[in-house]
């Protein structure tokens, strides 16, 4: 009895190999059909109803909204720069010292008010209250210095105004939580 061979292999071996290959191909076809059904369902859900029909229009509307947001952001940036340039010339630092100007007066009714801008330029206002009335004096401050001699109270108010940013920074550092927070999972 003569057994037939194909490509040097027994015919039954070749049939088994072909049968296994066909079974694997059928499994792959079912997997591909299953994945295509999933994709088809997602596509149909996306394209169904009003949202699906107007998808292109919705995308165009969103792009127009994004253009408006960009234009608004540019406008806000320009306004912010204008405000920043204006604020640099405004008084944004203040120092206040209350004191008794005369021995016969009590209650610290006199005061010195230092008003400075970002460059420590501004004015020191000294209001001295007495029984006869109130006397107010103003002294110009340029870059943190006065060309007219200052009283002790005026110097103190000026220093308070000049260091107000440092005090605020110190207070905010105390209030901020530590940044080295690690989560061990």
């Amino acid at each position: 009895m003569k057994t037939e061979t194909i490509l040097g292999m027994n015919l039954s071996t070749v049939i088994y190999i072909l049968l296994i290959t066909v079974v694997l191909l059928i499994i792959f076809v079912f997997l591909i059909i299953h994945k295509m059904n999933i994709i088809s369902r997602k596509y149909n859900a996306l394209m169904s109803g009003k949202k699906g029909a107007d998808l292109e229009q919705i995308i165009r509307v969103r792009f127009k909204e994004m253009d408006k947001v960009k234009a608004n952001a540019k406008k806000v940036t320009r306004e912010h720069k204008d405000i920043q340039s204006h604020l640099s010339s405004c008084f944004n630092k203040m120092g206040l010292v209350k004191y008794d100007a005369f021995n016969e007066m009590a209650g610290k009714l006199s005061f010195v008010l230092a008003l400075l801008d970002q460059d420590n330029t501004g004015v020191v206002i000294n209001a001295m209250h007495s029984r006869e009335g109130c006397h107010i004096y103003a002294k110009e401050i340029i870059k943190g210095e006065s060309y007219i001699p200052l009283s002790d109270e005026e110097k103190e108010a000026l220093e308070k105004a000049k260091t107000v940013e440092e005090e605020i920074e110190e207070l905010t550092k105390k209030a901020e939580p530590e940044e080295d927070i690690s989560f061990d999972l």
Side-chain angles (χ1 to χ4, degrees), residues 150-163:
L150 299 175
S151 69
D152 290 340
E153 292 84 3
E154 290 169 335
K155 288 177 185 174
E156 184 181 348
L158 182 60
E159 279 305 307
K160 278 186 176 182
K162 286 171 33 178
T163 59

Side-chain angles (χ1 to χ4, degrees), residues 49-117:
K50 183 179 178 185
K51 288 184 180 178
D54 297 336
L55 186 59
E56 184 178 347
Q57 182 182 359
I58 290 170
I59 291 172
R60 285 185 179 164
V61 168
R62 294 296 181 240
F63 276 121
K64 285 180 183 177
E65 289 174 355
M66 286 174 45
D67 290 341
K68 288 179 183 177
V69 168
K70 283 182 184 179
N72 193 28
K74 287 180 183 178
K75 178 184 170 192
V76 168
T77 301
R78 280 192 306 273
E79 289 174 356
H80 180 258
K81 287 179 182 178
D82 291 344
I83 291 170
Q84 285 295 96
S85 66
H86 178 71
L87 280 178
S88 66
S89 64
C90 294
F91 293 138
N92 57 9
K93 299 178 185 178
M94 182 199 74
L96 177 68
V97 174
K98 294 180 79 174
Y99 67 100
D100 290 323
F102 303 102
N103 291 336
E104 73 268 2
M105 298 295 292
K108 295 188 177 184
L109 298 175
S110 300
F111 67 90
V112 176
L113 177 63
L115 299 171
L116 303 175
D117 66 6

Side-chain angles (χ1 to χ4, degrees), residues 10 15 29 43 55 65 77-78 98 124 131-134 141 148 156 159 164 169 173:
N10 192 352
I15 292 175
V29 166
Y43 176 79
L55 186 59
E65 289 174 355
T77 301
R78 280 192 306 273
K98 294 180 79 174
V124 172
R131 290 188 193 275
E132 291 81 33
C134 186
I141 305 297
I148 300 171
E156 184 181 348
E159 279 305 307
V164 71
E169 191 174 306
K173 281 183 183 177

